[in-house]
Structures are given as C-alpha cells and as structure tokens.
Amino acid sequence: MSLASTIGEKPLSSSANTNFKQYLGNTKPKGAAIPAGLQEVLLAVVNTCSDLSHEVAQGALIGLLGSAGSGNVQGEVQQKLDIIANDKLIDGVKDCKALAGLASEEMELPVPVQGTGDYLLLFDPLDGSSNIDVNVSIGTIFSILKKQAPQAPLQTADFLLSGRHQVAAGYVVYGPQTTMALTLGDGVVMFTLNKVTGEFVLINDAVTIAHSTKEFAINMSNMRHWADPVRRYVEECLAGTSGARDKDFNMRWIASMVADVHRVLSRGGVFMYPWDQREPHKPGKLRLMYEANPMSFLVEQAGGASTNGNELIMDLQPTDLHERVSIMLGSKEEIDRLQHYHS
C-alpha cells in the first residue's frame, strides 16, 4: 500500500493531465467557447506568472530580497520583487493584440498598449510582499474587463467598472506549490505549476466553498479599532460552544490576502479586512480594483459571498483606480450573518 493511500489522498482524475492552454481551447463556460483574444491575454499572464514563480523561489540566491528603497502610488514601501513582478507582467502582456490597456496597483495611471483589442487587464503584481523576506506565501492577482468604447482612446474611466463587468479573474499563489485559481464566470478551477515542464496543470475543475465553517481569518491586534458589528461577530466566534454560536472556531491569519483567500477556496472559512476607526475617513485598506473585485468574483463563483458590510463588493461602483474598501468574504452563511449584524 502506498503512503498516499494510507493518508486518504484522492487519486487525480483524468482531467489532471490537462494543461492550461488545452483547458482554454476545450472548455466552454456558459456553453460558449472562450474568445481567442481572451485566451491570448490569459496565456500571457499565466506564462509570465510561471516565470515569476521561478524568480520568487530563488529569492536571496539572486539578490531579490529586501526593500527597493522606493514607494508606490499609495506611498507604501516597495520590495525589490514588487518592481520586478510589475515590470515582468507589463513586458509579458504588452504585445497582446487583444489588449487595449493595463493598470497596476504599483502605478498611478493606466498604460495603453499596442493591441487593437478591447480587453483591459488589472493586476496586483505581488500581493503580500511584506512577507517576502520571511518566506511566507505571496501571489499575483489579476482581473480582466471589456473596454466599453473600443475605438476611443484609453482613459482611466474605462477601468472604472463594477466587479460584475469582469470577464475573468484569478490569482497565482507562490507557496510550497505554485497554484492558480481562475474564474471565467462559470465556476472556479485550479491549476498547479509543473516546475519540470513549466506548465500549469488542472487539479480541480469545480472548486466550491462550504456554506458553513468553523474558521475565520482577521488581524486580532486591531480588535479595539473595529466597528461594533465586526467585534460582535468575532467575540461570538471566540466564545465557542459557551456562546451564542454554540460551536468552536479556529482563527487563521497569514497577512497575505492571496494566501488567506486560497485557504478559504481550498477548505472554506471567512477572511475579513474590515474598516477601523484609526483612519475613519478611509472606507478600508484593500484595493477594490486589484484585490477585492477579483477575489470576490472567485469567491462568489465558488458559492461563497463577499461584502463590505453594507453592499456586495461586486456591486460597488468604483470612482477611483486605487479606491480602497472594507472586505469580508468566504462561506455564505457567515457572510450573511456579518451583513445582518451591519444592518
């Protein structure tokens, strides 16, 4: 008997031999083939992430750790890998004929490209980059929109669409394995990078999030700053079987959104990065366009939910390219409870 069989590991299905390019050519979300232009953009992003995975894994061996000594458009300290990842993604997609423009969390303004298509790419090149030097999982998050006025010159307003306008979204998490989650609006699939071939291989063609959970993720050090509904929810979780919830919860917090959300997609749970009173004029910390919208698209498509407490994240109408939001996402039963407490 193999070790895998003794620990209950499930055998991979025949679909596990499907690489990402084959998947794009064969799958039909909502009964229709994936447009060639969208396939082109997705392949360019994913191939770049495959290359980036190699550099992330090398780290100190090739001098990529540490601060770059610069700041991004939000005034946050950039790591060397932030800049490298941003430049690599731009170089990797700039020749896509189907792409009209791109926007990055690291840049103030969008960038037009030479393509004649109508797809728009937004990305957080390296989410969780404060964890780079301590070897904690980090990742790339991306979102793809359709330009509403294809023939007009590119402008910032073209990107300011609600999450409902996304035609694709996903992330690549660079951890013990390099794994990608993707949605095209018809469920969520996952791939893992085969580092020998450099190809992403399908490992799960129907990712789902359980409606209920006993796990939550939040930065507990900020508890004194939270609004009452969030504090009430967490206090009930902490009370366990002796409290109103009548069940024990475990808390997890990686401080890397891409890793925390990957855990939610993999085994359920709730991730929260709520508003707090230290900067009351700011609605939240995470970026709507680069983090909240793509992650909310994935979570909804896996059967979960995502909210800022008052509205579903995917329904928010952005007014700024770098707009921030409060976000709570994950198992639907828990998100419904959080929304009820806010109301």
Side-chain angles (χ1 to χ4, degrees), residues 48 87 142 201 229 286:
T48 303
D87 291 346
F142 59 91
V201 179
L286 298 181

Side-chain angles (χ1 to χ4, degrees), residues 138-159:
I138 54 180
T140 299
I141 307 172
F142 59 91
S143 170
I144 299 176
L145 303 166
K146 289 291 289 287
K147 192 168 182 285
Q148 302 297 291
Q151 305 305 319
L154 185 74
Q155 54 185 340
T156 299
D158 293 325
F159 292 83

Side-chain angles (χ1 to χ4, degrees), residues 206-270:
V207 177
T208 57
I209 298 173
H211 278 222
S212 62
T213 185
K214 293 184 178 181
E215 197 165 84
F216 70 98
I218 195 167
N219 185 348
M220 284 294 294
S221 68
N222 294 327
M223 187 171 187
R224 67 193 185 280
H225 303 301
W226 299 335
D228 289 342
V230 175
R231 188 181 297 111
R232 173 186 175 184
Y233 175 83
V234 172
E235 286 175 344
E236 289 181 351
C237 292
L238 295 175
T241 53
S242 63
R245 300 301 305 275
D246 194 29
K247 64 178 179 179
D248 290 324
F249 283 77
N250 288 324
M251 194 196 83
R252 300 287 184 265
W253 181 250
I254 303 175
S256 172
M257 185 193 192
V258 69
D260 277 310
V261 173
H262 184 65
R263 185 187 57 254
V264 170
L265 280 177
S266 298
R267 69 184 194 201
V270 178

Side-chain angles (χ1 to χ4, degrees), residues 171-219:
Y171 64 76
V172 176
V173 59
Y174 311 114
Q177 305 91 38
T178 295
T179 300
M180 173 176 63
L182 173 74
T183 182
L184 299 168
D186 192 16
V188 177
V189 292
M190 276 191 184
F191 297 78
T192 289
L193 180 65
N194 181 330
K195 295 190 177 181
V196 176
T197 66
E199 295 179 324
F200 278 89
V201 179
L202 185 66
I203 58 168
N204 189 341
D205 59 4
V207 177
T208 57
I209 298 173
H211 278 222
S212 62
T213 185
K214 293 184 178 181
E215 197 165 84
F216 70 98
I218 195 167
N219 185 348

Side-chain angles (χ1 to χ4, degrees), residues 79 127-138 254-257:
Q79 303 298 309
D127 182 77
S129 59
S130 63
N131 288 312
I132 290 171
D133 289 359
V134 292
N135 203 23
V136 171
S137 295
I138 54 180
I254 303 175
S256 172
M257 185 193 192

